[in-house]
Amino acid sequence: MTWNPTFSTRPEILGTFGVVASTHWLASATGMGVLERDGNAFDAAVAAAFVLQVAEPHLNGPLGDVPLILHSAKEGRQRVICGQGPAPAAATIAKIRDDLGHELVPGTGLLPAVVPGAFDAWMLMLRNHGTISLREALSPAIGYAQNGVPLVPRISATIGTMQPLFATEWTSSAAVFLPGGNVPEPGTLFRNAALAATYQRIIVEGEAAGSNREVQIDAARRAWYRGFVAEAIDRFCRTTVVLDVSGRRHRGLLTGEDMARWQASYEEPLAYDYHGVTVLKCGVWSQGPAYLQTLALLKGFDLDATTPTDPQFLHRIIEAQKLAFADREAWYGDPDFVDVPIAHLLSDAYNDARRALIGDTASLALRPGDVPGRNTPWIDHGAKDRNAASYGSNTGAGEPTVARLGAVGGDTCHVDVIDRHGNMVSATPSGGWLQSSPVIPALGFPLGTRGQMFWLREDVPNGLAPGKRPRTTLSPSFALKDGRPWMAYGTPGGEQQDQWSLAFLLRMIHHKLDIQQAIDAPGFHTEHWPSSFWPRPARPGRVVIEERFGEEVAGALSARGHLVEVGGPWSEGRLSGARSENGLMKAGANPRGMQGYAVGR
């Protein structure tokens, strides 16, 4: 079975009033409902995001993280809001590696918890750019938590995998996710009364502060980071011993003081110009700049001469990404702690030289570039081009028994909105998964585990340090065309986010596909570099492609030296996107998994 480039599973949504695209139909419908009631794109994105926490608890939760990129028509500018919280003050390499004896930060439990950033990021955007009240923003999520959301099959499967751990160890999670002691069936209504009560209390405390919406939102932020939510987190981390993937039990390091000293912040996005499109990404605390580096490398190739399934198209992208992500490993980290040479890494001279490393065959080495006057962190310069699996430490650590220790990978959500005023939002919420950590009984949801993305090494940019942001995989995308806001887009997928979304954009630019066609096109990714997720494996040269590419493409990539693995016909990517051009808004969403939808009028 091969793909027909004129085929699409759904129409590209067209409208003039507003469009919303997300990874779940309930979130998209909620966001559109807010637009219909005269809310703006920022209002719609916030309401949709809180519904995603209820509708996709295996992909995000209230104590997760979110980076977002917004365009304000009123201000005429784009900004990043960083909702990635930092490590606790007690989270040191000495504590976790030397005192507790871990070589990697565990991927589940309480040790990898960082300050949960999503709530403050959403509230910051709602306060400064939105128009609706705190109650209006939270009410849809509360309604679904009280009355139930229909479970998609993947949620039931995740709960089923976690059932033995929930029943024997994480009993507070069993109380929420195993109603009556059973795994809820797909399609049945799932309720979370404790989550609803937490958000109801947030509204009550917000409204008690006064009638002004900004005052109410600020009061909600205080309740979360200095009030009853922070107190519940502090108490749970101090008093609860939790089994994690290390096979050992630990208390948490996150405290109420850690919560109180942090708040979400604005940043300027990083930008790169490519074939008339300016792509905006979050900073070097995310994987986003690797996307821009890949564009800088690809700018020197003639991709107009390729087709969407051309082996040459795939090969060029894969090899460029190997170089860009090698630089991510070597150079990226929280810029409040690390001087990341991003201007050099995006420069023409640097990428012209690096482009020469891309040949006709696949590389199995991890090859970060040189920066004048600096030693490349973590690299033995006597053997710099090392096999990716040997890069760093413990990248070959074995996976423990899933059912016993709860090593179930989490994923992510995404939402894009454009309103009739020209405001736009691209956001990628994640973390706080139902499988990440036990539910905090007083709140109804678990902590996130983003701290697993730190290395327990002092000599690398992404080494653990108190108050430092982990280098997240979360990576929303935004693009301008000819200097005007054009498209908000993105995808879940961990390391795959900036692989799937890159091929999506390139197919629109070079092959003239619309949003839905570019989403529906066969997807692919490489697992060449060390994963950001515990246990940090790498599979050098491995390329995973959808079956719809056909045997000819798989054979051509194998002939170039790629280690090709063929996945299911609809197994790669969960993209959504929304664009504005020529007086029309256009949107599309991923058919894979049968839950993402775009709406608009």
Side-chain angles (χ1 to χ4, degrees):
M1 176 183 177
T2 57
W3 176 67
N4 179 350
T6 64
F7 167 82
S8 62
T9 58
R10 311 162 179 177
E12 184 181 50
I13 298 297
L14 303 179
T16 58
F17 178 81
V19 291
V20 183
S22 83
T23 48
H24 198 288
W25 71 87
L26 290 178
S28 298
T30 297
M32 194 67 205
V34 171
L35 295 182
E36 295 282 6
R37 293 189 297 274
D38 208 31
N40 63 23
F42 313 114
D43 300 318
V46 171
F50 282 107
V51 167
L52 284 172
Q53 296 171 3
V54 181
E56 296 188 318
H58 61 316
L59 305 179
N60 79 140
L63 296 180
D65 327 285
V66 63
L68 60 91
I69 305 174
L70 64 86
H71 169 75
S72 167
K74 180 179 179 181
E75 297 176 357
R77 62 184 296 196
Q78 301 82 43
R79 304 179 82 179
V80 167
I81 294 181
C82 176
Q84 176 55 67
T92 64
I93 291 174
K95 174 67 176 179
I96 298 178
R97 183 189 65 191
D98 302 336
D99 294 351
L100 298 178
H102 293 286
E103 294 178 325
L104 295 172
V105 179
T108 64
L110 297 180
L111 276 183
V114 299
V115 175
F119 185 83
D120 204 54
W122 293 122
M123 290 295 105
L124 181 64
M125 183 169 73
L126 182 68
R127 182 193 190 280
N128 293 346
H129 304 279
T131 64
I132 64 176
S133 69
L134 177 67
R135 178 176 292 274
E136 291 170 312
L138 294 178
S139 287
I142 292 171
Y144 283 120
Q146 289 176 330
N147 301 317
V149 292
L151 290 181
V152 296
R154 189 62 231 164
I155 298 177
S156 297
T158 301
I159 296 172
T161 302
M162 298 297 294
Q163 184 179 21
L165 184 71
F166 286 178
T168 59
E169 296 282 346
W170 295 8
T171 54
S172 59
S173 294
V176 173
F177 294 107
L178 295 173
N182 302 312
V183 176
E185 293 291 327
T188 58
L189 289 176
F190 173 77
R191 298 171 177 85
N192 188 337
L195 184 155
T198 295
Y199 279 139
Q200 287 278 26
R201 183 171 173 182
I202 288 290
I203 292 173
V204 169
E205 295 202 11
E207 292 179 344
S211 59
N212 178 272
R213 65 179 296 276
E214 289 82 6
V215 168
Q216 293 179 0
I217 293 169
D218 285 340
R221 297 168 74 186
R222 288 194 299 273
W224 199 271
Y225 291 93
R226 295 174 176 83
F228 78 95
V229 174
E231 291 167 1
I233 291 170
D234 183 288
R235 184 168 55 252
F236 191 76
C237 287
R238 281 188 291 104
T239 61
T240 311
V241 181
V242 172
L243 178 69
D244 59 40
V245 290
S246 71
R248 296 160 56 191
R249 293 173 174 82
H250 301 96
R251 288 183 172 85
L253 302 176
L254 186 63
T255 69
E257 291 184 4
D258 295 316
M259 298 280 291
R261 69 169 60 99
W262 181 85
Q263 61 182 10
S265 59
Y266 288 103
E267 298 181 3
E268 293 302 311
L270 291 174
Y272 191 81
D273 295 331
Y274 180 88
H275 286 260
V277 173
T278 301
V279 179
L280 306 183
K281 300 293 285 187
C282 299
V284 290
W285 47 270
S286 75
Q287 71 168 289
Y291 187 114
L292 305 183
Q293 285 193 246
T294 307
L295 289 175
L297 291 162
L298 292 173
K299 191 162 65 172
F301 294 117
D302 182 14
L303 297 185
D304 284 338
T306 66
T307 66
T309 57
D310 190 334
Q312 179 79 332
F313 177 69
L314 274 65
H315 174 76
R316 295 294 192 213
I317 293 173
I318 292 163
E319 293 305 298
Q321 287 173 329
K322 289 177 182 178
L323 296 175
F325 276 80
D327 278 344
R328 182 193 70 157
E329 284 301 315
W331 299 110
Y332 292 13
D334 185 346
D336 293 339
F337 288 73
V338 180
D339 181 15
V340 180
I342 191 61
H344 177 75
L345 298 177
L346 290 174
S347 68
D348 287 343
Y350 178 78
N351 286 286
D352 288 346
R354 296 277 280 166
R355 193 177 302 114
L357 296 174
I358 300 175
D360 292 329
T361 58
S363 170
L364 298 183
L366 202 66
R367 300 179 289 181
D370 291 318
V371 175
R374 301 199 194 185
N375 291 325
T376 310
W378 210 343
I379 296 296
D380 175 4
H381 283 266
K384 183 176 177 182
D385 294 349
R386 294 196 292 172
N387 184 290
S390 66
Y391 189 68
S393 63
N394 305 297
T395 54
E399 187 95 13
T401 302
V402 169
R404 183 172 70 85
L405 300 180
V408 180
D411 205 340
T412 302
C413 305
H414 189 78
V415 60
D416 304 297
V417 187
I418 306 176
D419 67 24
R420 68 188 186 281
H421 310 294
N423 301 305
M424 301 173 69
V425 178
S426 171
T428 309
S430 185
W433 311 306
L434 70 87
Q435 65 271 29
S436 65
S437 189
V439 164
I440 300 173
L443 301 177
F445 38 82
L447 283 161
T449 55
R450 192 66 55 182
Q452 68 183 286
M453 297 186 171
F454 285 116
W455 292 104
L456 295 178
R457 298 184 58 144
E458 297 88 348
D459 58 344
V460 297
N462 191 37
L464 174 65
K468 186 177 184 180
R469 288 171 287 184
R471 189 201 65 210
T472 182
T473 53
L474 303 178
S475 192
S477 298
F478 195 94
L480 314 175
K481 181 176 277 189
D482 300 321
R484 294 187 295 273
W486 177 49
M487 185 162 65
Y489 62 106
T491 178
E495 239 77 41
Q496 285 76 55
Q497 289 179 36
D498 281 331
Q499 299 187 63
W500 293 331
S501 59
L502 179 75
F504 162 83
L505 178 69
L506 294 174
R507 283 164 167 160
M508 292 184 71
I509 292 174
H510 295 287
H511 307 138
K512 311 307 179 187
L513 301 187
D514 67 29
I515 285 181
Q516 194 61 52
Q517 290 171 332
I519 289 171
D520 288 345
F524 62 95
H525 77 271
T526 179
E527 299 174 0
H528 180 77
W529 48 82
S531 171
S532 295
F533 296 90
W534 186 95
R536 314 302 294 269
R539 304 173 74 193
R542 180 69 58 184
V543 174
V544 183
I545 66 171
E546 285 185 344
E547 179 186 315
R548 291 180 298 135
F549 275 107
E551 294 180 2
E552 183 177 344
V553 173
L557 291 175
S558 295
R560 291 174 180 257
H562 297 283
L563 305 178
V564 178
E565 178 180 312
V566 178
W570 294 94
S571 55
E572 291 281 316
R574 290 181 63 216
L575 284 149
S576 67
R579 60 175 170 158
S580 177
E581 58 185 348
N582 301 323
L584 281 173
M585 303 172 199
K586 305 178 181 183
N590 173 55
R592 299 163 179 87
M594 298 182 293
Q595 66 194 69
Y597 269 90
V599 296
R601 72 166 179 87

